[in-house]
Amino acid sequence: MGKTINAGLLGFGTVGSGAARILLEKSELLEQHTGTTIRLARICDTDIVSSRGFPVPPEILTNDVRSLLDDPTLDIFIELIGGLEPARTFVLEAIQKGKHVITANKALLATHGDEIFDAAARYGVELGFEASVGGGIPVVKTVKEGLVANRLHTVMGIMNGTANYILTRMTEEEIAFQEALADAQRLGYAEADPAYDIEGINTAHKLVIMAMLAFGAPVKLSDIYIEGISKLSPLDIFFAKEFGYRIKLLAIARNSCDGIELRVHPTMIPSEHLLAQVGGVYNAFYFIGDSVGKVLLYGLGAGQMPTGSAVVADVADVARNISRGTLGKVASLGTPHDMLKPLRKSPIDSLKGCYYFRFSVVDRPKVLARLSGILGDLGISIASVVQNGRGKESSVSVVMLTHEAHEAQVREALRQIGSMDVISGETMVIRIENLKTLDENI
Ligand code: HSE
């Protein structure tokens, strides 16, 4: 029998229960895969009374986090309480005490990553965070190890199950935003604060982590341009379909000649692209590397057992490394800590791309000419125009798709258009990614 590795789990909620269940019920399988015995020595939570639906030895349950942090026999500290504090304090203390840390806490890493990755490197402990991005999809390991031979040109993905679930229901069933959000919350996908999901913050946390892995640079939340999905109307979903697109909340990191673009926003993508077919709570990660070409990973990006699976994968890695003496073989971020390079970021104003505009205007002669005049003067060329509805002096939607334009010019055009007397409501702007299908050349 191999070495016994002791793990302590803090946070017995949705993900914690999934991880604990796997560790308790699949100990034989894990022993077979890792050659070690992984012992879940302690589970700490404020609620250790409610049933989680599977048997838990009562002697391992505790309300006292000190019984994990102060136990020198505990090799691995699993943090699944989420949030910034006290998670940050506990994680740093565990690292300082030489414990290897596993976390699913994307907000923590996106906010205090500098401090935490630095501490892990200084104290020589492993920091596993597979569960922080993409739920059960092994996306962290893929970038850190599987794609190491590549300069990544693009890292793009549908990284929030709740937002994708809402957009899918709105697209397929034409239901209202609030109804879809309520269902996502009931199914346990949504964050405690739903704004994180629908305003793109949770996606941006994940993009911070992906970009650090992909580009070997420290990245902060403030480096990401963020727009959420809460302003999208059923009209936008309708027009997107009419033009042959689907709207997805995409996280995009692209290594362009101006630097690295880092952005999260609703995006129109061609409906025949595989990313457009990713529905419901599923996530997908799309990479373009200079050696490998295109890679697409697909799976459940949230939920108890998929995310628990990712936590246990990290625990198994640490257990193997302890027992084989290979700790530190792969740096936490793939790139060794002292080799990280400063981020060369491309600002959002430098972006070039195609745009969808939905103007709410009063239905009068010459309105279209005035809109297209402003756009034309700024060098923005219109590819298609559609007007929806008709009614004297009543508000109608005028939808335009542009050819490639500069974001800075688009912003200036929208500023000028916003002050026109015929504008009767907020203008909706959605960026378009005219992605080629996977078998077309890059
Ligand atoms: N609330 C997240 C989602 C789950 O919906 O994808 C984990 O980040």
Side-chain angles (χ1 to χ4, degrees):
M1 201 165 93
K3 198 170 160 53
T4 296
I5 308 295
N6 292 312
L9 165 63
L10 173 65
F12 202 23
T14 305
V15 178
S17 305
R21 182 170 194 162
I22 296 171
L23 288 169
L24 292 170
E25 291 183 354
K26 293 188 174 166
S27 55
E28 264 178 46
L29 179 80
L30 290 167
E31 185 158 346
Q32 191 192 332
H33 283 174
T34 66
T36 65
T37 303
I38 300 172
R39 187 171 150 257
L40 183 56
R42 207 99 73 235
I43 300 176
C44 177
D45 197 279
T46 47
D47 172 12
I48 51 172
V49 176
S50 312
S51 165
R52 279 20 180 220
F54 59 96
V56 179
E59 66 278 9
I60 70 170
L61 289 165
T62 177
N63 293 130
D64 180 13
V65 69
R66 302 282 7 135
S67 70
L68 279 69
L69 290 167
D70 295 340
D71 179 353
T73 68
L74 215 67
D75 305 287
I76 302 176
F77 178 75
I78 308 171
E79 181 276 306
L80 298 175
I81 52 174
L84 299 184
E85 284 294 356
R88 172 182 155 276
T89 302
F90 293 153
V91 161
L92 287 171
E93 183 177 339
I95 290 173
Q96 284 155 11
K97 290 189 162 157
K99 300 188 188 311
H100 306 286
V101 170
I102 312 293
T103 180
N105 195 332
K106 65 256 4 172
L108 179 66
L109 296 179
T111 312
H112 296 296
D114 281 5
E115 190 183 19
I116 291 170
F117 285 113
D118 184 63
R122 277 192 293 120
Y123 286 88
V125 300
E126 305 237 330
L127 179 62
F129 50 95
E130 185 66 71
S132 66
V133 188
I137 310 170
V139 68
V140 170
K141 201 176 185 82
T142 297
V143 179
K144 250 180 18 174
E145 300 185 43
L147 297 178
V148 71
N150 289 269
R151 279 195 191 84
L152 291 174
H153 168 269
T154 300
V155 174
M156 184 183 279
I158 295 170
M159 304 189 188
N160 183 273
T162 302
N164 201 45
Y165 177 86
I166 292 171
L167 291 174
T168 305
R169 302 265 327 259
M170 286 176 75
T171 303
E172 290 176 359
E173 297 168 46
E174 295 175 8
I175 65 166
F177 178 87
Q178 286 305 340
E179 187 183 342
L181 172 61
D183 284 353
Q185 285 173 310
R186 205 174 41 245
L187 291 165
Y189 304 138
E191 297 296 299
D193 178 354
Y196 272 48
D197 295 306
I198 61 179
E199 299 304 349
I201 300 158
N202 173 273
T203 303
H205 287 151
K206 294 168 181 167
L207 186 61
V208 168
I209 295 169
M210 292 310 295
M212 289 198 281
L213 290 165
F215 303 115
V219 181
K220 303 183 297 300
L221 190 59
S222 56
D223 292 320
I224 314 272
Y225 173 81
I226 310 172
E227 278 176 26
I229 61 167
S230 62
K231 288 190 180 156
L232 290 174
S233 104
L235 273 176
D236 302 311
I237 305 264
F238 167 82
F239 283 120
K241 281 194 213 167
E242 291 286 297
F243 287 114
Y245 292 105
R246 290 283 178 278
I247 302 177
K248 293 289 182 189
L249 180 64
L250 284 194
I252 302 171
R254 187 173 278 140
N255 202 347
S256 70
C257 47
D258 292 325
I260 296 173
E261 293 168 19
L262 292 166
R263 47 199 172 96
V264 170
H265 50 71
T267 313
M268 287 192 178
I269 53 175
S271 49
E272 68 276 10
H273 194 275
L274 275 180
L275 277 179
Q277 318 299 322
V278 175
V281 75
Y282 279 87
N283 282 197
F285 294 79
Y286 179 42
F287 303 99
I288 304 178
D290 59 353
S291 297
V292 72
K294 297 171 185 170
V295 173
L296 185 69
L297 300 183
Y298 167 85
L300 284 168
Q304 184 171 72
M305 299 316 288
T307 313
S309 156
V311 170
V312 175
D314 276 343
V315 174
D317 253 354
V318 174
R320 282 191 193 104
N321 288 338
I322 296 175
S323 79
R324 307 262 153 79
T326 51
L327 284 167
K329 182 181 70 147
V330 183
S332 306
L333 283 170
T335 305
H337 196 66
D338 55 0
M339 306 274 283
L340 294 173
K341 295 208 180 91
L343 177 72
R344 199 169 71 85
K345 189 178 83 170
S346 169
I348 190 74
D349 270 352
S350 307
L351 188 67
K352 268 190 271 172
C354 299
Y355 292 78
Y356 158 100
F357 302 134
R358 178 171 52 78
F359 300 109
S360 301
V361 292
V362 289
D363 196 9
R364 264 191 225 148
K366 289 206 176 155
V367 170
L368 209 50
R370 287 174 62 197
L371 289 173
S372 51
I374 292 176
L375 294 169
D377 287 346
L378 285 158
I380 301 166
S381 165
I382 297 162
S384 318
V385 183
V386 174
Q387 178 175 323
N388 161 282
R390 173 98 182 52
K392 239 186 185 176
E393 293 295 311
S394 66
S395 181
V396 292
S397 294
V398 170
V399 171
M400 293 184 183
L401 263 49
T402 73
H403 290 297
E404 191 169 85
H406 284 91
E407 175 97 11
Q409 259 70 46
V410 166
R411 284 170 186 249
E412 175 55 20
L414 295 175
R415 193 191 63 74
Q416 292 183 24
I417 289 170
S419 59
M420 281 168 63
D421 55 352
V422 291
I423 291 288
S424 57
E426 205 179 335
T427 299
M428 189 68 204
V429 182
I430 304 176
R431 295 173 189 80
I432 302 173
E433 287 282 326
N434 281 311
L435 299 170
K436 301 216 164 102
T437 54
L438 290 195
D439 50 5
E440 281 177 277
N441 286 333
I442 291 162

